[in-house]
Amino acid sequence: MDVAVFLIQCPDRRGIVAAISGFFSQRSYNILQCQQYTDSARGQYFMRIKIDLNSSDFSASRLESEFESVAAAFRLKWSAHFSTKRQRVAILCTKTEHCIYDLIIRQRSGELPCTISVIISNHLHLEHIAHQFDIPFYHAPVNAGSRDSQERTVLQILRQHRTDLVVLARYMQILSPTLIEELQGRVINIHHAVLPAFEGARPYERAYERGVKMIGATAHYATSDLDQGPIIEQDVARVTHEETVADLKRIGRDIERVVLARAVKAHLEHRIITSGPRTIVFSAS
Amino acid sequence: MDVAVFLIQCPDRRGIVAAISGFFSQRSYNILQCQQYTDSARGQYFMRIKIDLNSSDFSASRLESEFESVAAAFRLKWSAHFSTKRQRVAILCTKTEHCIYDLIIRQRSGELPCTISVIISNHLHLEHIAHQFDIPFYHAPVNAGSRDSQERTVLQILRQHRTDLVVLARYMQILSPTLIEELQGRVINIHHAVLPAFEGARPYERAYERGVKMIGATAHYATSDLDQGPIIEQDVARVTHEETVADLKRIGRDIERVVLARAVKAHLEHRIITSGPRTIVFSAS
Amino acid sequence: MDVAVFLIQCPDRRGIVAAISGFFSQRSYNILQCQQYTDSARGQYFMRIKIDLNSSDFSASRLESEFESVAAAFRLKWSAHFSTKRQRVAILCTKTEHCIYDLIIRQRSGELPCTISVIISNHLHLEHIAHQFDIPFYHAPVNAGSRDSQERTVLQILRQHRTDLVVLARYMQILSPTLIEELQGRVINIHHAVLPAFEGARPYERAYERGVKMIGATAHYATSDLDQGPIIEQDVARVTHEETVADLKRIGRDIERVVLARAVKAHLEHRIITSGPRTIVFSAS
Amino acid sequence: MDVAVFLIQCPDRRGIVAAISGFFSQRSYNILQCQQYTDSARGQYFMRIKIDLNSSDFSASRLESEFESVAAAFRLKWSAHFSTKRQRVAILCTKTEHCIYDLIIRQRSGELPCTISVIISNHLHLEHIAHQFDIPFYHAPVNAGSRDSQERTVLQILRQHRTDLVVLARYMQILSPTLIEELQGRVINIHHAVLPAFEGARPYERAYERGVKMIGATAHYATSDLDQGPIIEQDVARVTHEETVADLKRIGRDIERVVLARAVKAHLEHRIITSGPRTIVFSAS
């Protein structure tokens, strides 16, 4: 089935549901899903609407242009996403393999609707994984003096592979504001702590020192403020005094990969709208 | 704010969202929430729509009668619930106090939008709780030979207190089909296991014997088939070999009261639609 | 059954288990439980040993004095706790009732092995709860200028009631270093966030602003550094963009009371050893 | 570090801890871990003791024979496990790949202390995974008439590869009592439900039909009674009415692989003692 997903946000006012659902009904589209959320405190309205493109003879190309009339009337900020276009994902990694294996295996099993088009790393440790699954691999080493040129190389590779989404799968480099700007809203990072706890480096070591009883991970959109981007997904596990730092890291790996996979899946299914520092993540169906 | 909630189910077809949301928009109502779910396998559509009654000058009394025209066109099965009518809850209990304390304290704190109008028990053990909180208490003892007459007494008390919802808070009696029939869809029971595991009596003892690593509780609508009613809410806790039966009961109490409270809250907020053996439980906002 | 619990810590070395278990065996005590933990990184050893006092004719009064010989040989830091002495708990609160109700009901049901000897509050809002359960209540109001004298009053009440443990059940006052010093290791506080996230005031509001997907609570020993004391217990709940600040507070209440109750229970059962900023919390049996 | 783990069970009586820890102390062994559990209801005592083999000059070969004297005195049922012997694991699978990928990747990352010596399947679907990781693969097809001969083939392969543990990673065949008998206590199965709920076939479909709000998985030792073996580990995830059967299967995969991996890890680390239908699973350190 070919579908389109419209992601919409606007100031809250009467008649929005009726107007938008009416727009699609009048063009004979079957609405497969219509999810809404009103942020009463800020007076903002959010909608995700999913339609069956095959249910109407209406031209998909006219759909977007005609939708502009509703959009103007309600001051909608919106985007439309068509399942006919397969999204292309690039994975950036360093030496840690659990997240990258996990993403590839989920993609292969059909769980992530995308193509993993390229793997880029500043090290060679994980090249064999790219080979195991026949995914193009690029080695883009970096040191203190070469960050700018390395980032230009990375950006060139991302463009060349027509990348829709960049996943930082434990990529231990901080992206420059320039690169973040260029990829705005299209970079998902996994942080190995329940943000805002333990922002920055060595979160498991610090969690151990602090003696916490829960550890976790956070997937968020990367912004130029480190570890401050809008949170997409978090999860935790209970730990006790018995766990060493190595145990925390091992337990954490299971959380990291699940949290990252859920965030990537939500993004690929167009279920996320960002609103300032917060995300609206509509449930999967 | 005075609100009305419409709960709707019907065969799935095009144009439902637009028609229903249009109905309210045309009468100038502000739609506060519009939640939907489509059961594709069965071709059934479900909606919960919440409107601000004060947002329109339209007469609330005409609302229901005019809605019938939409209802007929789409073969809707529906009900409307007005916040202006405060619901009245009866609690049936035996000797176990944790659930009943929990419900009362939540109600007093404003978490449960209802009046606890009466407590009925086949024993006197919990009478003091009713007194502590000034709630009418009835002692309706029962033995093998007196079940029918006891149930008539119970039913009479429920009617006299104009009961909207009956909560079986660890009421260790099986209700007769007659009583269940009379109270159809208005009796919530808490079972101390993750149904369908450990249906019937002594679930914690059996969980211990079986050596399970998770225990839990299930809130469900009571039907004439014991422990078979539509499940509203479940939750669990991890246990180890170290826990004795007494430990399981203690840990279980924390799950039971939270699960029961969530189910009662969902019912009172008109967030549940029953569809055969399943419930659709819309999220709270 | 009368029992004694010995809590022990010392530098790790060979023969500790054999020496300590041998000490009790030689005096014919039945060891009911023997739990150990070695912090390899710091070379520290911890033990909790629980013995059946009735299993030996040995004099309990001589037990402690003779244990000193083992203690000296292994440089043990230790304490002994006898079930024959019932612990006395004071609850300090302000206006929030869920934790205080929860502690009282658990104590009444036998879940917490203690007497709740007194409730002290800087407000009168919760006095009725003390009355409902026949617990002495003291009103100790405080303002910017009267903190010192109020704390002296509080301390006097605590002494007068021979208080073993102070529970800050959402007591919205910061204790002075003097008071903390006096009550060292005997004050448990509940913070309504997963520390170290959202230390300080208004954690739910800040959690909402940050757009987190998990909220939680932390029970810890109070120290003179605010929200920095050794963590005893934490737990969390998953939330979504839909939850308002009021929803977070409501969901949080369920976590707060369970986390606080678990921490208090662990303390009362002598299952906690503090080691710098960390706690060793032995499992219940 | 070379270590030995002793797993012990016996009737509970005084002096066991002192006697056993004394045995190792007298031979100058450093006790790294000493975990105990008393099943008071049945009067049974369980111990796991882990010693540093390098901490004593005592001959490891004499250790077992001399331990027999303690064993006889206390009627111990015991086994000793030496880290110097690397365990060999065989994986049996059919067409489902998530568990097998997961086990291999964990083994490669050092998380599972074993060699995956062979993969056996009744289908060819997963042969490529064996190739990707250079693990011997055997195709042992089976149909209604060939089960006995297929099992003989399987058993021969297991013996030839000196298999210590067999993992049924979603192997959709029921093992015969003969094979189970032969491999007693050395076969771990993953069932895709929270046993005892949904024993038998198609658990996710039945979970959907029943409308449960939690799904899960169970790892257990295989016995000749299907889905009745001692449970090692369980975990769950919360689901709603929105999840289809396909969604339940996808969510379930994440639980299945974590639950299976934890159970296999506990077995390989000699942390499990079986007692009738129950398992004692000592915590990892």
Side-chain angles (χ1 to χ4, degrees), chain A residues 36-51:
Chain A
Q36 301 156 65
Y37 163 64
T38 306
D39 182 338
S40 307
R42 288 178 183 74
Q44 282 289 308
Y45 177 84
F46 302 84
M47 180 188 261
R48 177 181 183 261
I49 193 160
K50 184 175 168 182
I51 57 169

Side-chain angles (χ1 to χ4, degrees), chain A residues 210, chain C residues 168 171 173-174 180 189-203 206 218-231 234:
Chain A
R210 183 63 185 88
Chain C
L168 307 180
Y171 180 60
Q173 297 295 315
I174 296 170
I180 290 287
N189 183 44
I190 180 76
H191 183 77
H192 34 319
V194 197
L195 291 175
F198 305 118
E199 296 174 349
R202 303 180 70 250
R206 289 152 62 208
T218 303
H220 62 92
Y221 285 115
T223 59
S224 50
D225 290 322
L226 186 65
D227 298 333
Q228 298 291 325
I231 293 170
Q234 300 185 294

Side-chain angles (χ1 to χ4, degrees), chain C residues 224-248:
Chain C
S224 50
D225 290 322
L226 186 65
D227 298 333
Q228 298 291 325
I231 293 170
I232 304 169
E233 173 67 349
Q234 300 185 294
D235 213 335
V236 298
R238 173 173 290 273
V239 295
T240 75
H241 59 273
E242 292 190 305
E243 269 79 52
T244 61
V245 171
D247 292 327
L248 298 187

Side-chain angles (χ1 to χ4, degrees), chain B residues 33 35 97-98 101-102 105-106 108-109 111 132-133 242-244 247 250 253-254 257-258 262 265 283-285, chain C residues 33 35 97-98 101-102 105-106 108-109 111 132-133 242-244 247 250 253-254 257-258 262 265 283-285:
Chain B
Q33 224 178 357
Q35 297 169 292
E97 71 181 31
H98 58 286
Y101 259 134
D102 190 71
I105 291 168
R106 287 178 198 272
R108 295 290 144 118
S109 75
E111 197 175 312
Q132 276 183 314
F133 292 91
E242 292 190 305
E243 269 78 53
T244 61
D247 292 327
R250 173 178 51 77
R253 287 199 296 266
D254 275 342
R257 56 186 195 176
V258 168
R262 285 189 202 137
K265 186 171 170 64
S283 66
S285 76
Chain C
Q33 225 178 355
Q35 296 169 292
E97 72 180 30
H98 58 286
Y101 259 133
D102 191 72
I105 291 168
R106 287 179 198 271
R108 295 291 144 118
S109 75
E111 195 175 314
Q132 275 183 314
F133 292 91
E242 292 190 305
E243 269 79 52
T244 61
D247 292 327
R250 173 180 49 77
R253 286 199 296 264
D254 275 342
R257 56 185 197 176
V258 168
R262 285 188 203 138
K265 185 170 170 66
S283 65
S285 75

